[in-house]
Amino acid sequence: IEPYLANIAKQSEELASSLQNFENKGMSQGSDYKLLKQRYFLNELQYWMNQEKYKECDPNLVTILFFYGDNDDSIRQGYVLTELRKENTGKMFVFNFDINDMQNNAVQLTAKIFTINSAPSMVINSNTVLEGFHDLDYLQNITK
């Protein structure tokens, strides 16, 4: 399963890069951008579900669903999660979802399952839901 997971991870990186290019060019309102964003979210969900299954082989893996919005706390939380992920390369995986763009039914359902109503919010290992901003020290302790 590892090569398959690596392929999904590569797809997510490529889609995220394409989204960033659209945003940098001020093209984030068109239908191509919206389609690309939906594809990215579906890929993230697929990647997360497969990582959850893979955790049966490696229970030390940590998965975090990160629901972000258009606010300062979401931006700050994104930087903290990036740092946390870098400290735990290969053992921690963060999956990103825009709470303001919940047109995708699968993403809506995932948010409802975990009762996500605000941003930023995180779901750690499918069992711990955190709302609001949390600093690096707190997240390091809770994900050990």
Side-chain angles (χ1 to χ4, degrees):
I1 194 169
E2 289 174 352
Y4 177 72
L5 290 172
N7 187 40
I8 296 174
K10 183 179 177 189
Q11 288 173 359
S12 277
E13 288 175 19
E14 290 170 354
L15 290 167
S17 178
S18 294
L19 284 170
Q20 190 64 48
N21 286 338
F22 269 79
E23 291 168 5
N24 290 343
K25 294 176 182 176
M27 299 170 50
S28 61
Q29 300 302 318
S31 61
D32 289 342
Y33 175 82
K34 290 177 184 177
L35 183 62
L36 184 63
K37 198 166 188 179
Q38 286 184 350
R39 192 167 154 215
Y40 171 74
F41 290 150
L42 284 175
N43 197 76
E44 287 284 90
L45 281 173
Q46 180 184 25
Y47 188 22
W48 167 67
M49 288 187 296
N50 283 288
Q51 280 291 7
E52 286 295 306
K53 188 71 174 161
Y54 185 66
K55 281 170 59 173
E56 294 173 11
C57 300
D58 187 352
N60 295 320
L61 292 178
V62 175
T63 58
I64 300 174
L65 297 177
F66 174 44
F67 293 87
Y68 63 90
D70 294 330
N71 57 52
D72 291 340
D73 280 348
S74 289
I75 293 168
R76 290 178 36 224
Q77 193 68 73
Y79 285 121
V80 169
L81 288 171
T82 297
E83 186 61 32
L84 186 65
R85 188 177 46 82
K86 285 180 184 177
E87 291 176 1
N88 297 282
T89 301
K91 291 292 180 185
M92 180 171 294
F93 301 88
V94 177
F95 307 93
N96 304 290
F97 303 98
D98 185 349
I99 200 167
N100 296 317
D101 188 20
M102 301 293 276
Q103 298 170 3
N104 186 303
N105 289 336
V107 176
Q108 282 180 357
L109 178 61
T110 304
K112 284 186 181 201
I113 287 170
F114 294 108
T115 319
I116 303 299
N117 297 309
S118 63
S121 290
M122 294 170 283
V123 180
I124 300 173
N125 289 331
S126 298
N127 59 21
T128 302
V129 178
L130 302 174
E131 291 185 345
F133 175 80
H134 296 278
D135 64 23
L136 184 59
D137 289 337
Y138 181 80
L139 291 177
Q140 286 170 329
N141 288 327
I142 200 168
T143 58
K144 285 186 180 177

